[in-house]
Amino acid sequence: MSAPQPAPTVRVQAEDFDAAREEALLLEGRRDVGALVAFTGLCRDEDGALAALELEHYPGMAEAEIARVAAEALARWPLLGLTIVHRFGTIKPGERIVLVLAAARSRRDAFAAAEFLMDYLKTRAPFWKKERRADAAPGEWVAAKTEDDAAAERWR
Amino acid sequence: MSAPQPAPTVRVQAEDFDAAREEALLLEGRRDVGALVAFTGLCRDEDGALAALELEHYPGMAEAEIARVAAEALARWPLLGLTIVHRFGTIKPGERIVLVLAAARSRRDAFAAAEFLMDYLKTRAPFWKKERRADAAPGEWVAAKTEDDAAAERWR
Amino acid sequence: MKAVYFAWVRERIGLSEEEIAPPREVATVRELIDWLSARGDGYAAAFANPGVIRAAVDKIHAGPNAPIDAAREIAFFPPMTGG
Amino acid sequence: MKAVYFAWVRERIGLSEEEIAPPREVATVRELIDWLSARGDGYAAAFANPGVIRAAVDKIHAGPNAPIDAAREIAFFPPMTGG
């Protein structure tokens, strides 16, 4: 008998998140989880050149698209829990941008789902990063990486 | 110029660990980390059949062997931080057994290193699990899985 | 229908959203891009390289040949860089 | 030298460690397993299937042909199940 698919937690927010609290919520009362993979994406300072990232997003579509990617992960792997939190707004070096939690019986499924989710979020979730430079020169929009498209293609 | 390899944190202990605290220590003062992967292995209750796991280990060799696996991960991937905590003793369903944290500039390296570490710990770290059954019948030693050997072989 | 713009598409056009009323023969995302491009220099600059423009129809990703006749909201933006 | 045993190897032998003094011609891990197996029923049961036995010489994994002449501590145990 296979367990019903869990409802994923998806949030798009300006505030920081607390990974430990999200983990505790996801594991609460469970004794069937053997593996929990947590991915945290952080803002790098690019060797001091970056003062901050401005993350623009498409409200409404961002949540909906992340939920679609989450549903795809749940259909592919036997997950017991899934949480995705993505921030927008001003994010400084060292601060967190995105959290993906994937819980499963076995580590293979939890790892695969978390990596799939990050690959897909990068290329499908409507967020755009603009650099605010430390030297106050005009910042550029971060260019999408071909390698991100290639990473997402692996899963087809 | 490539940064010097970070010193991994390796601990073998009976007490529970605090993943959030380990993450904070690993990231403290850093602004070059773009990706942090945290793997937590937990004790499953096997549909209620399991009362606890008794984890036996080889003191001295456990720490040394985990350190050898950590050194191998640092040689393979450009990691910015690495923490491995493995518990021994009595561990009940829902409780944590092992923590692996891998920090890197890019998510691909952090994911690969964390998965490699878990595959290798499973087959090389001197720990043995004995089941304590909920019905008080004699518990068995957990058998090593062929699939774990296969998982470790992938990295050769 | 409503058109919404993000990132450098928004900056080049100089608007984050606007009501538009394209003629009936503008039936697909690609035709709407061509029609918008003719509205002024900002639009022309935003859509100068249509191959890199992504679109969403009612908040779902849509290719260049997607029909727009039933759309309430069409979004244009560069390749995404979240995560 | 010291011999140490873990998990069901320990349970079958009934000891977690002991001092042993094998003769000089017992030169490898595999030969030591054969020599220990002859020491009693518990040892024979522990080493009945030598193919599944893992060994470590001075806390480093060692194969069946590894030499033991310089060893201070030799460990025998089943395949590991940590992680």
Side-chain angles (χ1 to χ4, degrees):
Chain A
M1 197 184 72
S2 94
Q5 276 188 8
T9 297
V10 172
R11 293 206 314 277
V12 172
Q13 62 188 38
E15 318 83 69
D16 192 13
F17 49 79
D18 179 344
R21 185 171 160 274
E22 301 298 336
E23 286 195 18
L25 285 170
L26 190 141
L27 294 174
E28 192 172 26
R30 299 207 77 124
R31 297 162 152 242
D32 53 353
V33 172
L36 176 66
V37 171
F39 176 87
T40 306
L42 299 117
C43 177
R44 295 191 303 247
D45 75 349
E46 308 301 353
D47 300 320
L50 192 80
L53 286 175
E54 301 291 347
L55 256 104
E56 183 169 334
H57 78 301
Y58 184 176
M61 181 171 168
E63 294 84 347
E65 189 63 25
I66 294 174
R68 284 190 281 272
V69 176
E72 213 164 307
L74 290 167
R76 277 182 182 233
W77 292 281
L79 302 179
L80 298 171
L82 187 54
T83 299
I84 304 165
V85 184
H86 203 305
R87 294 178 65 197
F88 60 85
T90 304
I91 296 180
K92 293 189 180 137
E95 294 183 352
R96 285 171 281 266
I97 300 171
V98 62
L99 174 71
V100 167
L101 298 181
R105 277 180 60 83
S106 80
R107 72 186 187 284
R108 187 75 58 237
D109 294 327
F111 271 119
E115 205 166 358
F116 165 88
L117 282 160
M118 283 309 304
D119 286 348
Y120 264 52
L121 288 183
K122 287 257 173 194
T123 55
R124 280 178 36 181
F127 290 83
W128 302 271
K129 292 184 183 122
K130 190 172 194 175
E131 297 182 341
R132 187 129 60 77
R133 293 174 51 101
D135 62 8
E140 297 287 330
W141 289 96
V142 172
K145 288 186 200 147
T146 327
E147 68 192 63
D148 285 333
D149 285 331
E153 280 300 322
R154 295 188 298 154
W155 302 98
R156 290 193 191 280
Chain B
M1 197 186 73
S2 94
Q5 277 189 7
T9 297
V10 173
R11 292 207 314 277
V12 172
Q13 61 187 41
E15 317 84 69
D16 193 13
F17 49 79
D18 179 344
R21 186 172 158 275
E22 301 299 335
E23 287 195 18
L25 285 170
L26 191 141
L27 294 174
E28 193 172 25
R30 299 206 77 124
R31 295 160 154 247
D32 53 353
V33 172
L36 176 68
V37 171
F39 177 88
T40 306
L42 299 118
C43 176
R44 294 190 305 249
D45 75 349
E46 307 301 353
D47 299 321
L50 191 80
L53 287 175
E54 301 291 347
L55 256 104
E56 183 168 334
H57 78 300
Y58 185 175
M61 180 171 170
E63 294 83 347
E65 188 62 25
I66 294 174
R68 283 190 281 271
V69 176
E72 212 164 309
L74 289 167
R76 279 183 180 231
W77 291 280
L79 301 180
L80 299 171
L82 187 53
T83 298
I84 304 165
V85 184
H86 203 306
R87 294 178 64 197
F88 60 85
T90 303
I91 296 181
K92 292 189 181 138
E95 293 183 353
R96 284 170 282 267
I97 300 171
V98 61
L99 174 71
V100 167
L101 298 182
R105 278 181 59 84
S106 80
R107 71 187 187 285
R108 186 75 58 236
D109 294 327
F111 270 118
E115 207 166 357
F116 165 88
L117 283 160
M118 283 309 304
D119 286 349
Y120 264 52
L121 288 184
K122 288 257 174 194
T123 55
R124 280 180 33 181
F127 290 84
W128 302 271
K129 293 184 182 123
K130 189 172 195 175
E131 297 183 339
R132 188 129 60 76
R133 292 175 52 101
D135 63 7
E140 298 287 332
W141 290 96
V142 173
K145 288 186 200 147
T146 327
E147 68 192 65
D148 284 333
D149 286 330
E153 280 300 321
R154 294 188 298 153
W155 302 98
R156 288 192 193 280
Chain C
M1 68 182 65
K2 187 159 87 169
V4 296
Y5 311 117
F6 293 98
W8 52 254
V9 173
R10 171 179 57 70
E11 288 182 341
R12 290 180 192 175
I13 291 174
L15 289 171
S16 58
E17 60 175 78
E18 63 181 323
E19 281 298 321
I20 56 171
R24 196 168 275 275
E25 64 268 24
V26 174
T28 66
V29 164
R30 180 58 193 264
E31 287 163 6
L32 183 58
I33 287 176
D34 292 341
W35 182 78
L36 285 166
S37 296
R39 282 163 68 101
D41 288 351
Y43 294 90
F47 296 118
N49 183 0
V52 303
I53 297 295
R54 302 287 182 270
V57 171
D58 292 329
K59 300 182 175 169
I60 295 178
H61 288 298
N65 299 319
I68 61 166
D69 54 315
R72 283 159 300 161
E73 181 173 301
I74 301 190
F76 294 101
F77 41 80
M80 289 139 284
T81 54
Chain D
M1 68 182 65
K2 187 159 87 169
V4 296
Y5 311 118
F6 294 98
W8 53 254
V9 174
R10 171 180 56 72
E11 289 182 339
R12 290 182 192 174
I13 292 175
L15 289 171
S16 58
E17 61 175 79
E18 60 182 323
E19 281 298 322
I20 57 172
R24 196 168 275 274
E25 64 267 25
V26 173
T28 66
V29 165
R30 181 56 194 266
E31 287 163 5
L32 184 57
I33 288 176
D34 292 341
W35 182 78
L36 285 167
S37 297
R39 282 163 68 100
D41 289 350
Y43 294 89
F47 296 118
N49 183 1
V52 304
I53 298 293
R54 302 286 182 271
V57 171
D58 291 329
K59 300 183 176 171
I60 295 178
H61 288 298
N65 299 319
I68 60 166
D69 55 315
R72 281 157 303 160
E73 180 172 302
I74 301 192
F76 295 100
F77 41 78
M80 289 139 284
T81 55

